[in-house]
Amino acid sequence: MDRARSVPSKNIPLAVLALSVSFVATLAIAAPARASQLVDRNATDVHLQVNAKGQALIAYRASGRLRRVLGWGAINARPSASGGTQVSFRLDYSGGWGTYHRRVWQTFADTCHRYDGPVLTHVVASCTAGDGSYWALQSWRVGLPDLGFLPWLRNQKVPWLTLSHWSGEIAELEVHTDWVYGGRFQHVFGRLTYRGRPPALPGHVGRARLRTRLAARELVRDSQGHRCLLLRLLPT
């Protein structure tokens, strides 16, 4: 298991729920997605293992307790043209006991190799599985309020731990900037595609819009010193 480098990329795994983009004219980046799925909140000391059956064993601490989650059943995302609901993981929060009635974590055969996939952001654990597919756990503050408002509730501040699994081509986000209202405000807009088409999004299949969060504390710098602006992708 190896941590992916946390710098901007020209690609993202699948349909984006929340992301961070470099605040420049045009680019695309790495971000969480579906099949990227919420595992827990406020997780620390995160570890990832993957076996030959395509199952991920996630170990972490939350609320002062050691937790183990077994996840499987999702890879890549469905393009919007395919119809139907988006793929999702099955998560066993007993660490596999509820599925197999035994302590799976004690005999779990890890096949993870050093991660050699696309550069991702906010990664806490990642690996290249024995079958060549990629797994990643990322930590994001997905609950931050929109429109630049500072968080006023605890659950708006806590980071979400999300699990992703993909192979082959991944999604690409293009981001552009211009000026609106006679140059009074900066406008951010973009296009998300997966295999050349818009991905299926939660609650809607097809187009999506980008809404910016403009709070000053949400402007950050990546490892190369570029300013980054947090964005959220919302269904139309």
Side-chain angles (χ1 to χ4, degrees):
M1 179 181 68
D2 229 30
R3 180 175 296 190
R5 292 167 294 164
S6 182
V7 296
S9 164
K10 290 187 177 296
N11 297 301
I12 56 177
L14 324 176
V16 181
L17 296 182
L19 48 99
S20 168
V21 297
S22 182
F23 195 46
V24 295
T26 306
L27 76 161
I29 61 137
R34 300 193 46 128
S36 177
Q37 192 166 319
L38 173 66
V39 176
D40 209 336
R41 295 172 176 84
N42 249 354
T44 60
D45 195 22
V46 178
H47 299 275
L48 173 66
Q49 295 177 289
V50 177
N51 65 18
K53 298 178 180 179
Q55 298 172 319
L57 181 62
I58 307 160
Y60 60 93
R61 301 195 72 86
S63 301
R65 295 174 51 194
L66 174 63
R67 301 176 187 268
R68 297 184 180 92
V69 178
L70 188 69
W72 71 95
I75 184 170
N76 298 329
R78 290 193 176 102
S80 60
S82 66
T85 58
Q86 193 51 269
V87 296
S88 60
F89 290 106
R90 296 182 63 183
L91 299 175
D92 181 346
Y93 283 86
S94 65
W97 180 270
T99 303
Y100 297 105
H101 306 292
R102 59 183 176 85
R103 297 177 179 177
V104 173
W105 58 90
Q106 292 183 341
T107 58
F108 195 85
D110 185 20
T111 66
C112 275
H113 302 289
R114 181 183 178 86
Y115 180 84
D116 60 4
V119 177
L120 306 177
T121 66
H122 295 71
V123 175
V124 292
S126 59
C127 85
T128 302
D131 63 2
S133 65
Y134 298 110
W135 293 79
L137 286 161
Q138 292 164 283
S139 182
W140 305 79
R141 291 201 300 164
V142 179
L144 287 170
D146 297 316
L147 304 177
F149 293 109
L150 299 179
W152 63 91
L153 299 175
R154 182 179 178 276
N155 60 5
Q156 295 173 334
K157 303 175 184 179
V158 298
W160 289 24
L161 180 68
T162 63
L163 175 66
S164 299
H165 182 205
W166 74 98
S167 64
E169 185 179 350
I170 59 178
E172 183 170 296
L173 175 68
E174 300 174 8
V175 177
H176 308 261
T177 64
D178 62 6
W179 295 90
V180 294
Y181 295 101
R184 293 174 58 200
F185 303 104
Q186 193 157 32
H187 179 221
V188 181
F189 63 98
R191 178 178 64 178
L192 177 69
T193 57
Y194 176 53
R195 297 182 178 177
R197 297 180 178 179
L201 299 173
H204 181 77
V205 175
R207 297 173 300 168
R209 70 178 182 272
L210 290 175
R211 179 182 296 175
T212 60
R213 305 185 190 131
L214 300 177
R217 69 174 57 186
E218 294 182 55
L219 287 172
V220 298
R221 292 187 180 273
D222 62 28
S223 61
Q224 297 177 336
H226 299 138
R227 292 177 67 200
C228 294
L229 175 67
L230 291 178
L231 302 178
R232 176 182 292 242
L233 181 65
L234 299 173
T236 55

